[in-house]
């Protein structure tokens, strides 16, 4: 059973291949609009989202934009109520050589666009044979209960198994006469415009016979010419059975449909049109669709195709992969797909088979005998072999229970599987081989419940998102696809992480859930302050029903644990524990909400969709070993990913300082070659009108290495997408040193935005992302095209330039824009710290923006470092010029540390310690101190591991610092 995730991770499916680099078809995209109306309106000059998409695509040289499905056809096909997703989705071709993943990620940020993504290339690749294993290779039928199942049902020619693969040799003696013949050739061209070229497809279709992948030769003969893979797979599912020759297919009398989607002579392992093949098979009514191919790419289009095929009644069976790792592959890991791993003849996991919580069942995959080209037979190994064995069994179940939905068939095969395989396998794959070994006999004879989690939320007691250190619940929605559960059905939750408790220790009684029925339950959970933030909170749900002998399990994970949203004022945004702002991953638009200003219009307040594509922290420094750039922004189409969480980003409302205080701690552990840093990120937001369109961000950057860091600069990079992002402008107000961005033609709706410095400025740089000219230190782009030297992504050198550009290039117009704002330079000796600050703000007009930033600077929420040594530099010679909390030492500490602070005059100073939820822990001081540096010892031996806040209060200021107790 799939692992339920809090945010959707979408990808592709794998058959028999080792983990490979990701690939995309050049100049090809899939794009889905949020509504059918927006998708149908592509009239130039209108304000519809489709118009904005068209204008952007023309910049990239769009040559074709074709809807995937004709409007209404999906509903007329079988009289079913199926999703309209594919009616809102377009296949796009463009002439630009820009990286498809990057182009898609930019398009995905446009208002009205649900997603945009490349057309991914999947793969097949057989595992090498070992002649000493499995002498016969056809001895798995009794082990999987197939002989007994055939005593109950042998299926029929009316049941169609689609072999979406590299082509199947329908002239092979053991496959001849069993292939599907199309009763309505060419019908598909009337259903789907992307198939308008298909005609005379009397026995299936060949989507890629030869030629380049982005301009393939196609024809109506789906026989293979470059790979045995599809012929071997087809024989396992549907070879002629009981005919006195060769082998038997588990599907017995079932018909097989040939859909060739790759496997050319030039690229025999490449599957270029897997999802198109699934769509083709579903539109022509396949009962079971086998996918012995795939990859790890994120594909929302793939999920939509799978969902659509499922809604038409097709059950998709997918190979789980051959990486020998706990890696998810798709479509095998989509919730609607039956995911199959591989075992040997002795029920031990095949050494190559992937494993993990995504798997549903296991089947024979090592040294399996089946049909190959040249009218022969051969032994092959892989999850590609296991998958069609199960696909044939699924055809038996479908024939035995023609009224069952694909979900019920899928869950029946899982529920009836034999979990005895866990007895012989190692503990490192416990609960990671699905329900166990597929049992065809039990699948066709014993209807069982099939309970699945369809929705999960981790909530605090007040209904907000759960954080660490607070009581809450896992709120689950369960649906039963199978036979009714009895009154004894219960769930026992098991925490899979340390420092986390789930449930009360006893099983939670659920009781009867009828077929198709659903229930909602709450499971108590508490995540301790000392939770390991490099892990994801994960819970296994053990399901048991003594009344029906049903057992199963499912795993749920709190994937969005490390980011949170600041939304107490009109600058609504999210921050993560990896130095990113808006989104943890810009290219996928996941792990956050972006930056969603609430603007004032003639019709009242309006919360916009995100106008921020990407933002993140960049730090450069020099040591004796060289120059280093540590950052969390993209390089080509992915982030450099240098920062690692140490304490989750959490928000307290109201906070100690503002109406919403947020704090996170992360390190530079993702770039171990660099001198090490620890960064405390604090965020403050106020409701008061003067700064209610602003968010304050403070970075306390500490040198945790043994090296002297010189020329330290810290800044924020921000790529703004304001309305029609290809027509944005960046300008500079020299009077108050504000670098701002706006959309010239849409200022009535879209605001002016800025990330302004709160300290010494070293850079305010305007960037033309699409720049394609001569590159120098002030002029470069961030787009990536592999064959264009001036569009080589956002390189390390360009990031270094961005942090020290001064104010020499502060304007770009009518393009896709970004900006960098930085402070520096500083010098940090070991254990020294510097503080930099920024304010992220917007205004409906430029004067409003400037007023917000002026008020933010005047508010002095925190003090920043002056250029030179860090805050904890040489001993004070004269009286300090500011009240400040200096870095405590040691930090982290156990159990004691020294709290240090400076005072500017004789006055009362109060020093308190709070936990991260704002609860008062202890008072360290409340008395008068003179001017100078002072020290207070703090003994935390009675406290739990975690982060704490030290707050210093005088008559003039309030300052805070995060300290870490690590036992």
């Amino acid at each position: 059973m799939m692992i339920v995730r809090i945010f959707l991770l979408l990808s592709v499916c794998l058959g028999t291949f080792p983990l490979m680099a990701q690939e995309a078809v050049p100049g090809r995209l899939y794009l889905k609009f949020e509504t059918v109306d927006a998708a149908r309106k592509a009239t130039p000059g209108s304000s519809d989202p489709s118009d904005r998409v068209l204008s952007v695509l023309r910049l990239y040289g769009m040559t074709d934009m074709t809807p995937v499905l004709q409007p209404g056809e999906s509903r007329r096909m079988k009289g079913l109520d199926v999703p309209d997703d594919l009616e809102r989705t377009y296949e796009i071709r463009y002439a630009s050589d820009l990286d498809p993943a990057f182009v898609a990620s930019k398009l995905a940020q446009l208002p009205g666009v649900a997603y945009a993504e490349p057309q991914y290339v999947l793969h097949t690749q057989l595992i090498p044979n070992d002649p000493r294993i499995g002498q016969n290779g056809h001895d798995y039928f009794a082990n999987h209960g197939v002989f007994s199942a055939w005593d109950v049902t042998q299926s029929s020619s009316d049941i169609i198994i689609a072999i979406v693969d590299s082509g199947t040799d329908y002239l092979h003696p053991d496959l001849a006469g069993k292939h599907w013949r199309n009763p309505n050739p060419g019908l598909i061209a009337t259903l789907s415009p992307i198939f308008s070229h298909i005609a005379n497809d009397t026995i299936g279709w060949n989507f890629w016979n030869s030629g380049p992948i982005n301009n393939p030769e196609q024809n109506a003969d789906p026989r293979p010419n470059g790979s045995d893979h599809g012929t071997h797979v087809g024989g396992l599912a549907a070879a002629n059975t009981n005919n006195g020759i060769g082998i038997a297919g588990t599907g017995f009398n079932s018909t097989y449909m040939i859909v060739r989607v790759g496997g050319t002579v030039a690229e025999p392992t490449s599957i270029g049109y897997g999802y198109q093949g699934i769509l083709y098979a579903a539109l022509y009514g396949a009962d079971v669709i086998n996918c012995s191919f795939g990859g790890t790419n994120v594909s929302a289009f793939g999920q939509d195709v799978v969902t659509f095929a499922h809604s038409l009644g097709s059950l998709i069976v997918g190979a789980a992969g051959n990486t020998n790792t706990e890696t998810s592959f798709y479509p095998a890991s989509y919730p609607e797909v039956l995911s199959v791993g591989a075992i040997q003849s002795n029920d031990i996991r095949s050494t190559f088979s992937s494993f993990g919580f995504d798997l549903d069942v296991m089947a024979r995959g090592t040294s399996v005998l089946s049909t190959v080209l040249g009218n022969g037979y051969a032994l092959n190994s892989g999850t590609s072999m296991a998958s069609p064995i199960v696909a044939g069994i699924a055809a038996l179940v479908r024939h035995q229970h023609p009224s069952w939905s694909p979900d019920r068939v899928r869950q029946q095969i899982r529920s009836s599987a034999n979990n005895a395989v866990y007895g012989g396998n190692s503990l490192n794959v416990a609960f990671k081989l699905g329900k166990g070994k597929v049992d065809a006999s039990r699948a066709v004879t014993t209807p069982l419940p099939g309970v699945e989690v369809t929705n999960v939320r981790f909530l605090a007691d007040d209904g907000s998102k759960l954080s660490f250190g607070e009581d809450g619940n896992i709120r689950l929605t369960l649906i039963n696809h199978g036979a009714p559960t009895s009154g004894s059905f219960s769930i026992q939750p098991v925490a899979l992480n340390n420092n986390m408790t789930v449930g009360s220790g006893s099983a939670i009684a659920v009781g009867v859930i009828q077929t198709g029925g659903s229930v909602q339950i709450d499971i108590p959970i508490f995540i301790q302050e000392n939770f390991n933030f490099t892990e994801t909170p994960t819970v296994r749900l053990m399901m048991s029903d003594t009344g029906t002998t049903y057992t199963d399990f499912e795993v749920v994970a709190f994937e969005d644990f490390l980011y949170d949203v600041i939304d107490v004022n009109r600058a609504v945004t999210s921050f993560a524990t990896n130095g990113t702002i808006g989104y943890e991953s810009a290219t996928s638009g996941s792990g956050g909400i972006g930056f969603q200003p609430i603007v004032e219009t003639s019709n009242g307040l309006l919360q916009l969709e995100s106008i921020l594509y990407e933002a993140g922290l960049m730090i450069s420094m020099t040591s004796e070993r060289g120059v280093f750039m540590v950052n969390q922004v993209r390089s080509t189409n992915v982030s450099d990913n240098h920062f690692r969480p140490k304490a989750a980003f959490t928000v307290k409302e109201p906070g100690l300082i503002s109406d919403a205080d947020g704090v996170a701690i992360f390190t530079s552990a993702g770039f171990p070659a660099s001198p090490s840093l620890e960064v405390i990120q604090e965020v403050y937001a106020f409701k008061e009108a003067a700064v209610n369109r602003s968010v304050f961000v403070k970075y306390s950057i500490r040198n945790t290495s043994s090296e002297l860091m010189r020329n330290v600069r810290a800044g924020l990079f921000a790529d703004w997408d304001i309305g029609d992002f290809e027509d944005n402008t960046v300008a500079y107000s020299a009077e108050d040193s504000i670098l701002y961005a706006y959309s010239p033609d849409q200022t009535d709706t879209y605001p002016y935005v800025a990330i302004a410095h709160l300290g010494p400025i070293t850079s305010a740089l305007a960037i033309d992302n699409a720049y394609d000219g001569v590159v120098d230190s002030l002029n470069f782009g961030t787009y990536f095209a592999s064959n264009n030297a001036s569009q080589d992504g956002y390189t390390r050198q360009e990031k270094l330039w961005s942090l020290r550009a001064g104010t020499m290039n502060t304007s770009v117009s009518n393009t896709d824009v970004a900006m960098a704002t930085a402070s520096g330079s500083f010098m940090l000796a070991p254990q020294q710290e510097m503080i930099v600050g920024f304010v992220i703000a917007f205004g409906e007009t430029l004067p409003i923006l400037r007023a917000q930033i002026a008020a933010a600077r005047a508010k002095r929420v925190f003090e920043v470092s002056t250029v030179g040594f860090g805050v904890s530099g040489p001993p004070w010679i004269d009286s300090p010029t500011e009240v400040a909390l200096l870095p405590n030492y040691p930090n982290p500490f156990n159990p004691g540390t020294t709290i240090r602070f400076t005072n500017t005059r004789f006055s009362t100073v109060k020093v308190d310690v709070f936990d991260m939820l704002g609860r008062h822990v202890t008072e360290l001081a409340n008395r008068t101190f003179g001017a100078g540096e002072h020290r207070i010892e703090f003994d935390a031996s009675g406290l739990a591991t975690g982060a704490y806040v030290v707050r210093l209060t005088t008559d003039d200021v309030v300052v805070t610092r995060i300290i870490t107790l690590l036992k």
Side-chain angles (χ1 to χ4, degrees):
M1 184 152 310
M2 54 87 181
I3 184 170
V4 179
R5 303 188 183 278
I6 304 307
F7 67 92
L8 195 59
L9 287 177
L10 308 173
S11 249
V12 206
C13 127
L14 174 77
T16 55
F17 68 98
L19 189 61
M20 302 181 68
Q22 310 305 327
E23 300 176 28
V25 177
R28 291 282 190 94
L29 300 174
Y30 282 96
L31 182 147
K32 184 170 80 171
F33 290 100
E34 291 179 345
T35 66
V36 172
D37 287 343
R40 294 175 184 171
K41 294 176 181 177
T43 306
S46 74
S47 60
D48 292 304
S50 53
D51 234 16
R52 301 176 187 177
V53 171
L54 288 173
S55 66
V56 172
L57 284 170
R58 292 188 188 104
L59 293 176
Y60 301 132
M62 182 182 69
T63 59
D64 187 61
M65 183 174 178
T66 306
V68 171
L69 205 65
Q70 290 282 22
E73 285 296 347
S74 58
R75 290 166 176 75
R76 291 194 288 270
M77 278 287 303
K78 293 184 178 180
L80 300 174
D81 182 17
V82 300
D84 63 10
D85 299 88
L86 295 182
E87 295 176 28
R88 300 184 272 126
T89 304
Y90 285 78
E91 181 183 82
I92 295 167
R93 304 184 187 192
Y94 67 94
S96 166
D97 60 358
L98 289 176
D99 176 43
F102 176 71
V103 174
S105 69
K106 296 294 287 187
L107 288 166
Q109 305 301 318
L110 289 173
V113 174
Y115 68 72
E117 66 182 24
Q119 178 178 323
Y120 291 112
V121 183
L122 316 179
H123 294 271
T124 66
Q125 181 176 319
L126 296 179
I127 300 296
N129 298 325
D130 186 340
R132 296 172 295 178
I133 300 176
Q135 295 296 312
N136 188 333
H138 214 52
D139 53 357
Y140 50 82
F141 292 93
N143 191 33
H144 286 310
V146 178
F147 292 139
S148 298
W150 284 345
D151 289 337
V152 177
T153 175
Q154 297 175 2
S155 189
S156 74
S157 59
D158 294 333
I159 301 297
I160 301 169
I161 306 173
I163 307 299
V164 181
D165 213 290
S166 61
T168 304
D169 183 7
Y170 54 84
L171 298 181
H172 192 291
D174 227 356
L175 292 168
K178 287 202 67 183
H179 61 281
W180 172 76
R181 295 184 181 276
N182 191 350
N184 297 295
L187 173 64
I188 201 163
T190 68
L191 305 176
S192 172
I194 67 169
F195 297 149
S196 61
H197 59 286
I198 295 180
N200 301 317
D201 53 332
T202 57
I203 55 172
W205 191 251
N206 182 352
F207 282 89
W208 187 16
N209 185 65
S210 61
I213 192 170
N214 59 344
N215 188 27
E217 175 193 321
Q218 302 189 19
N219 60 45
D221 184 2
R223 287 189 77 197
N225 62 5
S227 171
D228 274 330
H229 190 270
T231 301
H232 199 276
V233 167
L236 295 173
N240 274 300
T241 303
N242 200 31
N243 65 344
I245 62 170
I247 65 166
T250 52
F252 210 100
N253 291 322
S254 303
T255 298
Y256 68 92
M257 177 191 294
I258 313 172
V259 187
R260 181 177 170 186
V261 291
T264 67
V265 173
E267 297 190 53
T269 67
S270 293
I271 297 294
Y273 294 84
Y275 286 134
Q276 294 88 337
I278 294 172
L279 179 60
Y280 177 97
L283 286 171
Y284 272 128
D287 297 284
V288 180
I289 302 174
N290 186 76
C291 295
S292 290
F293 60 84
T296 58
N297 296 293
V298 174
S299 177
F301 175 66
Q303 172 70 80
D304 280 349
V305 168
V306 166
T307 300
F308 177 76
H310 172 267
S311 68
L312 288 182
S314 299
L315 171 63
I316 300 174
V317 182
N322 293 356
T323 67
N324 189 28
T325 63
E326 190 173 348
T327 302
S328 297
F329 287 92
Y330 299 85
S333 293
Y334 288 140
E336 300 93 341
V337 179
L338 183 64
S339 177
V340 184
I343 55 174
Q344 304 172 51
S345 59
N346 58 1
D347 293 348
I348 300 300
R349 179 180 67 92
S350 300
T351 55
F352 52 80
S353 180
S354 302
F355 53 93
F357 297 131
D358 291 338
L359 264 67
D360 284 307
V361 294
M362 308 295 287
R364 177 73 172 273
T366 297
S367 294
V368 183
L369 187 72
S370 188
T371 47
V372 295
L373 295 177
N375 298 336
Y377 301 88
L379 293 167
N380 283 322
S381 298
T383 53
S384 276
M385 285 63 256
S387 181
I389 290 173
V390 176
I393 294 171
L396 300 179
V397 178
R398 298 221 71 168
H399 182 262
Q400 179 73 358
H401 300 284
S403 64
W404 281 11
S405 68
D407 280 328
R408 184 158 188 182
V409 175
R410 170 175 57 85
Q411 287 296 119
Q412 174 68 10
I413 293 174
R414 178 184 169 95
S415 298
S416 60
N418 187 342
N419 63 8
V421 295
Y422 283 110
N425 280 280
S426 62
L427 291 177
N428 72 312
V429 295
F431 296 99
K432 296 176 182 179
L433 303 178
K435 179 65 187 324
K437 177 179 64 177
V438 67
D439 184 339
S441 177
R442 195 172 186 222
V444 299
T445 59
T446 310
L448 292 166
V451 179
E452 187 174 36
V453 175
T454 60
N455 186 266
V456 55
R457 298 175 66 193
F458 286 74
L459 301 174
D461 284 346
D462 62 1
S464 62
K465 176 184 168 184
L466 180 68
S467 183
F468 64 88
E470 60 182 344
D471 294 317
N473 289 285
I474 309 173
R475 181 159 296 171
L476 304 171
T477 301
L478 309 173
I479 187 170
N480 180 19
H481 298 295
T485 62
S486 76
S488 63
F489 176 61
S490 64
I491 292 179
Q492 176 68 65
V494 179
L496 301 186
N497 309 89
N498 294 325
N499 302 317
M500 180 176 79
T501 56
V502 180
S504 60
S506 302
I508 298 172
V510 180
V512 176
I513 311 177
Q514 298 294 339
T515 302
S518 63
V519 298
Q520 180 177 287
I521 65 171
D522 284 349
I523 299 176
I525 182 172
F526 183 83
I527 303 172
Q528 298 175 20
E529 291 90 340
N530 57 347
F531 186 85
N532 182 354
F533 297 107
T534 63
E535 300 178 358
T536 300
T538 306
V539 177
R540 184 172 64 242
L541 308 171
M542 301 299 300
M543 295 180 280
S544 176
D545 186 4
T546 57
T548 62
T549 70
Y550 167 72
T551 60
D552 206 342
F553 66 91
E554 188 149 0
V555 173
V556 295
F558 193 2
E559 293 287 1
D560 60 349
F561 180 53
L562 295 181
Y563 82 86
D564 211 339
V565 177
I566 297 285
D567 60 359
V568 296
N569 63 15
R570 289 166 56 179
V572 181
T573 190
S574 53
F575 294 81
T577 315
N578 65 352
T580 56
I581 300 171
Y583 300 105
E584 287 184 87
S585 172
T587 52
S588 64
S590 62
I593 64 166
F595 182 73
Q596 301 179 4
I598 301 176
V599 298
E600 190 170 337
T601 70
S602 58
N603 295 320
L605 296 180
L606 172 66
Q607 183 166 337
L608 302 178
E609 297 182 20
S610 177
I611 60 173
L612 178 66
Y613 174 74
E614 177 184 15
L617 178 65
M618 302 192 301
I619 304 172
S620 66
M621 72 206 80
T622 303
S623 78
E624 292 184 354
R625 295 188 292 118
V627 179
F628 297 91
M629 163 56 64
V630 182
N631 70 99
Q632 195 76 18
V633 299
R634 67 174 179 266
S635 52
T636 53
N637 61 345
V638 294
S639 169
D640 273 343
N641 197 28
H642 290 161
F643 295 124
R644 294 289 187 268
K646 188 172 181 180
F649 181 75
T650 55
V651 178
K652 176 67 177 176
E653 298 180 23
L656 299 174
I657 305 299
S658 69
D659 294 301
D661 293 358
V663 64
I665 305 176
F666 49 89
T667 72
S668 59
F671 188 11
S674 168
S676 58
L677 297 170
E678 181 182 86
V679 181
I680 300 174
Q681 172 186 271
E682 298 170 66
V683 180
Y684 304 104
F686 297 86
K687 297 179 181 179
E688 61 190 81
V691 289
N692 70 348
R693 295 169 176 85
S694 305
V695 176
F696 298 78
V697 189
K698 173 186 176 183
Y699 296 103
S700 302
I701 302 167
R702 186 160 62 96
N703 177 4
T704 54
S705 75
S706 59
E707 302 175 65
L708 175 65
M709 297 182 183
R710 301 177 184 273
N711 302 318
V712 184
R713 295 178 172 88
L716 292 179
F717 168 83
D719 181 341
W720 297 102
D721 285 350
I722 308 171
D724 292 341
F725 65 80
E726 81 286 359
D727 190 29
N728 286 180
T729 291
V730 172
Y732 187 61
S733 173
E735 180 181 347
D736 40 15
S737 63
I738 299 173
L739 191 68
Y740 59 93
Y742 64 100
S743 179
D745 296 331
Q746 296 176 310
T747 52
D748 58 332
T749 302
Y750 290 97
Y752 292 78
V753 292
I755 296 181
H757 64 92
L758 293 178
I761 186 169
T762 189
S763 181
L765 177 67
I767 301 172
D768 178 357
N769 288 324
Y771 182 79
D772 192 17
V774 177
V775 173
D776 59 38
S777 62
L778 297 175
N779 297 280
F780 51 82
T782 65
Y783 286 179
F784 177 72
S786 58
N787 59 351
N788 185 329
S790 66
Q791 292 187 315
D792 54 356
Y794 194 21
T795 67
R796 172 184 176 274
Q797 181 61 68
E798 290 163 352
K799 292 172 182 176
L800 290 170
W801 286 337
S802 297
L803 295 185
R804 58 174 185 248
T807 56
M808 297 177 64
N809 185 6
T810 55
S811 66
V812 292
S813 301
N814 307 113
T815 185
D816 182 7
V817 304
M819 61 174 63
T821 305
S823 284
S825 65
F826 303 91
M827 181 181 295
L828 291 179
Q831 301 305 319
Q832 284 188 326
E833 180 181 74
M834 70 186 207
I835 298 175
V836 296
F838 305 91
V839 57
I840 308 172
F842 78 90
E844 289 83 354
T845 65
L846 181 56
I848 294 177
L849 173 65
R850 294 179 63 189
Q852 284 280 314
I853 293 174
R857 287 169 170 167
K859 196 171 181 65
R860 294 173 66 91
V861 177
F862 51 84
E863 297 298 325
V864 298
S865 301
T866 56
V867 173
F869 274 97
V871 170
S872 58
W876 299 98
I877 298 173
D878 300 316
S879 294
T881 59
E882 62 181 6
V883 176
L885 272 169
L886 305 179
N888 60 301
Y889 184 83
N891 190 39
F893 62 95
N894 178 27
T897 188
T898 301
I899 306 299
R900 301 184 301 137
F901 66 92
T902 58
N903 196 22
T904 58
R905 61 183 177 84
F906 192 79
S907 63
T908 299
V909 177
K910 190 172 186 291
V911 181
D912 295 280
V913 179
F914 299 83
D915 66 15
M916 297 304 290
L917 296 178
R919 295 175 297 204
H920 189 262
V921 172
T922 187
E923 180 181 86
L924 297 180
N926 188 0
R927 60 185 178 84
T928 56
F929 288 85
E933 181 178 338
H934 303 277
R935 302 183 178 209
I936 303 173
E937 297 304 318
F938 174 36
D939 182 3
S941 56
L943 299 178
T945 294
Y948 293 86
V949 179
V950 178
R951 184 177 70 180
L952 183 149
T953 306
T954 71
D955 295 337
D956 304 314
V957 298
V958 176
V959 292
T960 61
R961 172 172 290 278
I962 306 297
I963 61 175
T964 304
L965 171 61
L966 187 59
K967 292 187 175 180

